[in-house]
Structure formats: structure tokens, C-alpha cells
Amino acid sequence: MIQLPPMRTASLALAALALASCVQAQSPNATERSLPHETAEVGASLSPDSQFARFLSLAIATRAPQVGKFDDVYECRESEALEDVRWLADYKVLSVHTTGDSAVATAQVTTVARQHDGATGWVADAGIRVDTAHWRMRNVAAGATKRWKVCGDAMEHFGIFMLGRTVRWAPAGSSAATAKAAVDSIRRARGLALAR
């Protein structure tokens, strides 16, 4: 895991560029981190690998909210209230291992903020980090067919969907705008499309 401490607004974009260059050197195949959902057909024939990549692509933090955009790739699992959410900038699918109608999917994720439920509401800590995370998948009924869907949050107990309208940022000077600027910087440095 690479972890950078929280930083001031002025240095956040520079750190994003430096980290992006390091991670790009580790995985030069940028096509694996493109936005596959924009060109892939939506349907039951999609492989678990494609569905997992679509799920991660739709969670990029700068995407405008769209009602129902996760319906064909995500199945919510009833569990305790989520208290840790990461703002996703980029990902690389490492593997998807299937056993019957179940799978475990692994990805390297680059995030720009960690949002958690504090005593007085949501708090977001700015900071760029790269982690390896795992998700469960299931091949579930979708009408008359079946479709692979991500089931619940990461096995490391964090989600990747931004939550809440009111978020307090740390350190001072950080904001949703600076986090989204860091997402853009990382994606530009890796030669990826900006997600809006």
C-alpha cells in the first residue's frame, strides 16, 4: 500500500501527478483502466471480468450522479451501516476467480479521499493512496437470464460510492473540488479519459 499524508490544496495536484507516474510505470497497459462501460454491450453475455470493470468505472469520483446507473452491475448486500467510503480515481482489474455462480474479484484502486461517518456527520480526509481490494460477485437472475453483479462493498470494509451532501473536509483548504482535481490529474497523467 502506498499512502501519502493529507496535504494542502496547492500540493495535492502535484502529488497526484507524481503518484500517477509511479503507478503507471508499474502497469503500462492503460487500456485495462479505460472506461469499458462506454463501449461494452450491456447484457447477460458480459463476462464477470467485464461486469467488474464496468462497476469500478461507474464509481469514478468525478462522475455526475445518475439514478440507476449501477443496476446492472451491483447488488446491495444487507449489512451494517457503511462507515468508510473511498473516492475512486482509477483502477486496474487484477483478477476475477469464479466458482460456479460465485466469484472473487481483485483490483488495485487509486483513491484521493477517505470519507467516514464522524460524530457530527460525514468527514472526508484528502490523501492519495493505492490499495489492493477484493469484492464478491454473484451470477444473479436478471429477468429470464443471469448477469454477474458485484455483491456489496469491498471485503476490506469500504465502499466506493460518494455519500452525503454535507461533508466536512480535512485538512483545512481541502474540498470536494480539490479531490476531483486530483482525480483529473491522476487520469491525465495515465492517459485516461476524464470522467464527468
Side-chain angles (χ1 to χ4, degrees), residues 2 15-28 108 130 189-190:
I2 300 170
L17 288 171
L19 178 63
S21 298
C22 292
V23 176
Q24 185 176 23
Q26 295 172 0
S27 54
Q108 181 184 71
V130 177
R190 296 177 182 180

Side-chain angles (χ1 to χ4, degrees), residues 115-124 166-168:
Q115 185 177 328
H116 54 96
D117 194 4
T120 59
W122 287 103
V123 177
T166 304
V167 178
R168 185 168 45 87

Side-chain angles (χ1 to χ4, degrees), residues 28-114:
N29 187 358
T31 59
E32 293 184 36
R33 296 185 311 268
S34 62
L35 301 175
H37 73 281
E38 293 177 352
T39 56
E41 286 182 28
V42 176
S45 63
L46 286 177
S47 69
D49 302 65
S50 296
Q51 285 288 85
F52 182 50
R54 290 181 66 237
F55 163 77
L56 293 170
S57 177
L58 286 168
I60 300 294
T62 54
R63 286 199 173 278
Q66 300 170 27
V67 175
K69 70 179 181 177
F70 290 99
D71 288 353
D72 69 335
V73 293
Y74 180 72
E75 179 182 58
C76 186
R77 183 179 60 210
E78 290 186 21
S79 62
E80 295 180 12
L82 186 63
E83 296 182 359
D84 187 356
V85 178
R86 310 283 171 84
W87 286 39
L88 185 65
D90 190 17
Y91 66 90
K92 179 182 178 187
V93 174
L94 300 177
S95 65
V96 179
H97 295 290
T98 60
T99 305
D101 281 346
S102 299
V104 174
T106 307
Q108 181 184 71
V109 293
T110 304
T111 58
V112 297
R114 175 182 175 258

Side-chain angles (χ1 to χ4, degrees), residues 154-177:
M155 293 164 70
E156 289 76 13
H157 307 293
F158 67 84
I160 54 174
F161 306 135
M162 293 180 292
L163 298 175
R165 293 178 181 272
T166 304
V167 178
R168 185 168 45 87
W169 284 83
S174 299
S175 67

